[in-house]
Amino acid sequence: MMRVVITGTEGQVDTSVKALGEQLGIEVIRIGLPDIDLSKPETLEAPVRAARPDVIISSAAYTAVDKAESEPDLARRINGDAPGELARIAAALNVPLLHLSTDYVFPGDKDGIYDEADTPEPASVYGATKLAGERQIAANTDNFVILRTAWVYSPYGNNFVKTMLRVGQTRDELNVVDDQRGCPTYAPEIARALLTVAQKVVADPDPKLRGIFHLTGSGETTWAGFAEAIFAESVKRGGKAVRVNRITTSEYPTPARRPANSRLSGDKLHSIYGLQLDPWPVSLSQCLDALAAT
């Protein structure tokens, strides 16, 4: 049985990986507070070594995008230094490291879809710290897979889908940004990809399986389009109808700059691993079904 160690105990991805691991007969060991503190990377080594992993997944992160603008040092320790330390530990244990990164490493001003050959130029502290994590990983091990994802949602934790449904309970209409485009990505689909990649890199030392890949749901939309789809699916299940007013980013200012273009190409992942995530409307329907069942 493959033994997977993943950082995080209450997040969307680690919860999804744990659930899928149980279905597939893969042992998934989640580590988080109080056993580790990502703001103190030195706390990582003992718990990781004790778990005797075949592969390490770096999932937990500092994700408060706006708050990071006023807490850059804390964000850098968690998003930059901690992944670098995990890479050092992975190299010492001679096991692969899988790491989740973000669309925010790009500025979002490209006309087309971003691929892995595009040069990262973060426009926010959050994006800069996630890029620092990517670079520290590459500096500490060659046996890594970095998977950049975006717009993550699931039945677990805090995310856009659950926020829309919660706020919509008390509002008849909502203003949602319509000039930021991206690829909504379902955490259980991320889990499926992570465990598929993990099994392959554990079994095969081929360098082409390593490196940076993009991992997002198929298709694209705007936040407003995503919100409209959420409420449409909710209505099908007896939920309340909510009107979405499409607004611009300038009408909803935030401390951190968001990428206007968060679209990531999954062609490389499909070519190397044969992996392609479901179209986001399909996964959204699955998410609403799961939420309805809870």
Side-chain angles (χ1 to χ4, degrees), residues 140-153:
N140 282 288
T141 183
D142 295 326
N143 194 3
F144 70 86
V145 179
I146 291 170
L147 295 156
R148 294 174 179 151
T149 192
W151 295 26
V152 179
Y153 68 97

Side-chain angles (χ1 to χ4, degrees), residues 10-13 16 63 150-167 184-188 223 226 230 284 287-288 291:
E10 298 179 353
Q12 299 186 77
V13 173
S16 299
T63 57
W151 295 26
V152 179
Y153 68 97
S154 72
Y156 319 115
N158 299 315
N159 56 71
F160 184 77
V161 172
K162 294 176 73 174
T163 296
M164 288 295 100
L165 293 174
R166 185 186 70 251
V167 176
T185 311
Y186 192 38
W223 287 114
F226 194 18
I230 291 165
L284 175 61
C287 182
L288 270 288
L291 286 169

Side-chain angles (χ1 to χ4, degrees), residues 56-118:
I56 300 168
I57 299 178
S58 169
S59 170
Y62 183 112
T63 57
V65 174
D66 288 323
K67 197 173 182 182
E69 296 294 314
S70 59
E71 293 183 338
D73 292 338
L74 177 61
R76 184 170 292 274
R77 287 198 300 275
I78 294 174
N79 290 344
D81 297 342
E85 176 65 6
L86 282 172
R88 186 193 66 78
I89 297 166
L93 295 175
N94 195 29
V95 300
L97 173 69
L98 278 55
H99 175 70
L100 284 181
S101 191
T102 176
D103 56 302
Y104 277 69
V105 300
F106 296 115
D109 56 3
K110 182 180 178 180
D111 289 335
I113 299 174
Y114 283 100
D115 62 32
E116 294 82 355
D118 286 312

Side-chain angles (χ1 to χ4, degrees), residues 167 171-175 240-245:
V167 176
R171 303 275 296 278
D172 293 326
E173 58 184 277
L174 295 171
N175 296 333
K240 176 186 171 188
V242 177
R243 176 182 173 182
V244 174
N245 300 318

